[in-house]
Amino acid sequence: MEKDITFASVAELSRMLAAREVSAVELAQHYLARIEAHKDLNAFLDVRPEATLEQARQADERIAAGTATPLTGIPIAHKDIFVTREWASTAASRMLEGYMSPFDATVVRQLKDEGMVCLGKLNCDEFAMGSGNENSAYGKVFNPWDANAVPGGSSGGSSSAVAAGLAPIVTGTDTGGSIREPASFTGVTGMKPTYGRPSRLGMIAFASSLDTAGLLGHSAEDCAWVLGSMVGFDPKDSTSVNMPTEDFKRHLNDGVAGLRIGVPRKWLGEGLDPELRTSIEEAIETYRRLGAEIVDIELPMAELGVPVYYVVACAEASSNLSRFDGVRYGHRAADYTDIVDMIKKSRNEGFGAEPKRRIMIGTYVLSHGYYDAYYLKAQKVRRLIAKEFHETFKKVDVIISPVTAGTAYDFGANADPVSAYLSDLYTVPASLAGLPGISVPCGIHSNGRPLGFQLLGETFSEARLLGVAAAWQRETDWHLRRPAGY
């Protein structure tokens, strides 16, 4: 039964808990033991068994009292971008080393209210800035499929934890692809909702107009089970969309007959790994066989996504990270002459190389004489990218595309920042437009590393996207493949 529990679906775990085949405490103990056994992955930054087991005991009490929800007792872990009262919240940065938040992020609180049991906090790129999880101040995260490969970023601890069976479902954040890319690199399913659906309150900010909370799990069904409990209007978040939550499971068994699936053929052309292209083409043909209409589309404005994204995101990072000055909270230098010297030294010591780089880029594009030339221009092109997507979704229901140009790359392979930024080529356009997207596994490369594709939809079409992904996962078993040794 141990193996069944490790990679069991959220639905199966829910059924087992309701039938008293397993207790919430037993589930928590099982995953805590796996986290301890696989510490070498460096997926977790803070694990506090006593806090986890107390939440599990409370879940068992709710189940016994008949006041449980379908998610009560299900273990979950949170990316260390969400603040938590009982676990340290560091954003994987020395700047916030040991920081204990006085409150839970809204997403964390909502899932806790459902009775989900927190296993701990997950490693990530510092302040969610990176595509390979090589930028954490507390060491890189390893990919369970290949110790030489990155797990993707910035939610690398999240993807590694799910792939290795250290948690059945986890939270992540996606600013420019930070859920979808790591999901693709580790053979798991990653769901990014529409911007504004999950609250940003308590998410340590990187780029406020882009940051979106989401989920990584073994399947679209897993994500559908949990997503409804982590979205909804939050009056304390000015960017929260005032619309009710919904049952995201309702289209899981609908199939794709009659749906129009758009294919940006140029995205499947030059620069794409040939084996990945073949896998995506096979997925397209599978959808065609299942009754979907395949429509070729063009997204020329989306090709400007990378430069637009890195202007907008860095500008917002420059503004957001200005709060870390050593005065109110966070790291403060030990030796300084006056307040200016203290702020300079605190920020220099507290921030890693990548946050410093993005702060400087952002400060430059916001500076006098460059604001109009760079930031304002980028915002105008961003609007054109969003308009192009919205016009396209009048012709198609869903878009299928690559997540990245290939499989997970080796550690250090993208040491040049520009190369690292270009790895976001296929993910940032949807982020700029605020669209929902889901990454699903679609194969194993000859190098032994997973392959994935993404499905993109119009705003608020999460339930349909989950249904389209579920249709693929009923036809294939790629999402059931596990890395050796786990």
Side-chain angles (χ1 to χ4, degrees), residues 134-326:
E134 298 177 275
N135 297 329
S136 171
Y138 306 103
K140 61 191 178 185
V141 177
F142 293 88
N143 190 324
W145 289 87
D146 187 333
N148 296 314
V150 301
S154 61
S155 306
S158 300
S159 64
S160 179
V162 174
L166 310 187
I169 188 125
V170 300
T171 58
T173 63
D174 193 308
T175 304
S178 288
I179 286 174
R180 290 163 287 157
E181 189 216 53
S184 176
F185 281 179
T186 57
V188 303
T189 303
M191 179 76 210
K192 172 205 177 294
T194 304
Y195 174 81
R197 290 214 77 172
S199 172
R200 290 193 307 109
L201 183 74
M203 282 175 59
I204 300 170
F206 161 19
S208 299
S209 73
L210 295 158
D211 295 344
T212 306
L215 293 162
L216 296 93
H218 295 300
S219 66
E221 181 191 44
D222 285 350
C223 295
W225 265 73
V226 179
L227 186 62
S229 298
M230 67 176 287
V231 303
F233 177 59
D234 183 357
K236 296 180 180 179
D237 173 11
S238 63
T239 62
S240 181
V241 177
N242 192 355
M243 66 182 296
T245 187
E246 58 188 277
D247 178 12
F248 291 105
K249 303 190 296 293
R250 68 185 188 276
H251 292 314
L252 287 178
N253 297 310
D254 284 1
V256 297
L259 282 184
R260 300 163 300 169
I261 299 180
V263 181
R265 290 291 175 185
K266 194 169 182 180
W267 291 19
L268 298 178
E270 185 180 355
L272 194 68
D273 182 282
E275 291 185 44
L276 175 57
R277 182 187 300 112
T278 298
S279 291
I280 296 176
E281 293 284 4
E282 289 174 356
I284 292 169
E285 289 308 308
T286 297
Y287 280 128
R288 192 194 304 274
R289 176 173 57 79
L290 294 174
E293 177 187 355
I294 306 301
V295 181
D296 288 351
I297 60 172
E298 293 185 2
L299 297 168
M301 294 305 303
E303 294 172 23
L304 299 172
V306 169
V308 170
Y309 172 82
Y310 279 98
V311 169
V312 173
C314 291
E316 294 182 9
S318 171
S319 175
N320 279 323
L321 271 60
S322 65
R323 71 193 65 177
F324 300 106
D325 52 14

Side-chain angles (χ1 to χ4, degrees), residues 394-406:
K394 293 177 182 177
K395 306 169 189 172
V396 300
D397 301 300
V398 176
I399 293 172
I400 185 172
S401 85
V403 181
T404 61

